[in-house]
Amino acid sequence: MTVKTLQAAVLCLAAVAGLAAPAQAKDDLGALQEQVAALKTEVQSTRDRGAVENLFSKYMYLHNAFRDTDIIPLWAKKGTPGVRAQYSNLGVYTDWDKIMSYHQGRPAPVSKLVFHYVTTPVIEVAGDGQTAKGLWIVNGLESGLVDVEQAKNMPSWMFEKDLVQGKKVWMHNVYIKYGVDFIKQDGQWKIWHFHCFEVARAPYGMGWIPFAAAAQDDAFNVDLMYVGDDGKPVFMPKADGPATILSNTYRTDTSQRLEARPPEPYRTFSETFEY
């Protein structure tokens, strides 16, 4: 039954209320009004879920196209309490300007390809409709060419053996989970807490197990933000605080665990956890 159908039923019942016993008519009208209210809440929650999924998908489309500055309006506005981002186990960013710097100045060098695609969403909208949580699995490619001289300053595991057009080749498969909390501001959903949980990385000529064995304790692996137009590596800024929820990145000396946690239904954000 749709909202319009229920509303029509309420109007019809109200019109004939005088033909029924007053107490019964009042009870029936009250029951229908409760059903209309519940259905309106359910419809709004469904719309909110779709809006949240679209928001994160838009984030990924823009990131893949090196349009990161267009991602900034997708975030909660400056001054929003509790805004945070975590991209690795090095630490957490809580300063809004520092978080936005992650989306500024990113180049789109010739030959570079970033192609991440999102799957397996688990999304919960709060009962009060003011926040939402989402967890996604992401797979994708990251690749490009680097001048041989610049490559000398980077670990050998980053590159393939053969040169292309006289340059070193890096082409990796990446496996990631993204946990994101959203907040509704001025009627629009915005990113509030952002957590990238890298699961594994696999250079094509190596695979993820040999890569983990070679790079799992290398700070270059977790601190690299991107490779610039000039081929130089650009590293993450200093974190604002220690990481409290760690990514369970694949290692050869540990086992996998359920990290990050899928969201569960909740009424208001104080009743749940932060990504």
Side-chain angles (χ1 to χ4, degrees):
M1 183 178 290
T2 66
V3 172
K4 288 184 177 180
T5 303
L6 279 174
Q7 289 173 333
V10 170
L11 291 173
C12 289
L13 183 59
V16 301
L19 302 178
Q24 182 62 47
K26 185 176 181 179
D27 290 345
D28 290 346
L29 181 59
L32 279 172
Q33 287 174 330
E34 289 179 2
Q35 290 182 50
V36 169
L39 187 55
K40 288 175 69 175
T41 298
E42 183 177 348
V43 168
Q44 184 60 54
S45 180
T46 301
R47 289 174 176 170
D48 286 336
R49 187 195 184 284
V52 163
E53 188 166 11
N54 280 351
L55 175 60
F56 186 65
S57 294
K58 185 176 182 179
Y59 172 100
M60 202 56 64
Y61 274 107
L62 292 170
H63 184 63
N64 287 346
F66 308 104
R67 295 272 299 275
D68 278 71
T69 54
D70 292 331
I71 290 174
I72 294 175
L74 305 184
W75 274 86
K77 59 189 174 183
K78 187 174 183 177
T80 301
V83 66
R84 59 184 282 140
Q86 182 175 336
Y87 305 99
S88 72
N89 289 340
L90 290 179
V92 176
Y93 299 93
T94 56
D95 179 83
W96 190 90
D97 290 312
K98 193 176 289 187
I99 294 171
M100 295 310 111
S101 71
Y102 182 82
H103 302 295
Q104 296 169 336
R106 281 181 172 268
V110 173
S111 81
K112 187 175 181 180
L113 172 65
V114 173
F115 188 76
H116 297 170
Y117 54 92
V118 298
T119 70
T120 330
V122 180
I123 299 170
E124 293 288 346
V125 178
D128 63 13
Q130 297 306 301
T131 63
K133 305 178 70 67
L135 179 65
W136 287 263
I137 291 176
V138 175
N139 191 8
L141 310 174
E142 296 179 356
S143 59
L145 300 175
V146 176
D147 288 336
V148 173
E149 288 302 311
Q150 291 293 344
K152 292 179 180 179
N153 301 317
M154 304 181 197
S156 59
W157 47 253
M158 186 168 178
F159 302 103
E160 302 299 306
K161 294 180 179 180
D162 296 329
L163 300 181
V164 171
Q165 298 175 355
K167 295 183 177 182
K168 297 288 284 186
V169 177
W170 64 278
M171 51 183 188
H172 297 181
N173 240 341
V174 292
Y175 311 92
I176 308 167
K177 296 176 186 176
Y178 282 94
V180 186
D181 294 321
F182 303 86
I183 189 169
K184 186 178 282 188
Q185 294 185 329
D186 302 322
Q188 301 293 319
W189 286 104
K190 301 292 181 179
I191 297 170
W192 186 24
H193 308 139
F194 184 96
H195 195 151
C196 173
F197 298 82
E198 182 162 316
V199 177
R201 181 174 289 268
Y204 268 76
M206 183 182 291
W208 57 89
I209 292 179
F211 171 82
Q216 60 196 15
D217 294 316
D218 193 329
F220 187 99
N221 181 33
V222 294
D223 200 25
L224 180 67
M225 185 158 59
Y226 58 80
V227 177
D229 276 320
D230 56 4
K232 294 181 180 179
V234 178
F235 298 99
M236 297 293 297
K238 183 179 179 181
D240 297 317
T244 56
I245 301 175
L246 300 180
S247 301
N248 188 28
T249 306
Y250 177 80
R251 295 177 60 97
T252 58
D253 55 1
T254 61
S255 60
Q256 287 290 292
R257 60 183 185 274
L258 185 64
E259 200 71 75
R261 291 168 54 189
E264 299 176 354
Y266 68 101
R267 185 181 61 84
T268 190
F269 198 79
S270 61
E271 300 176 354
T272 188
F273 60 92
E274 291 187 9
Y275 279 122

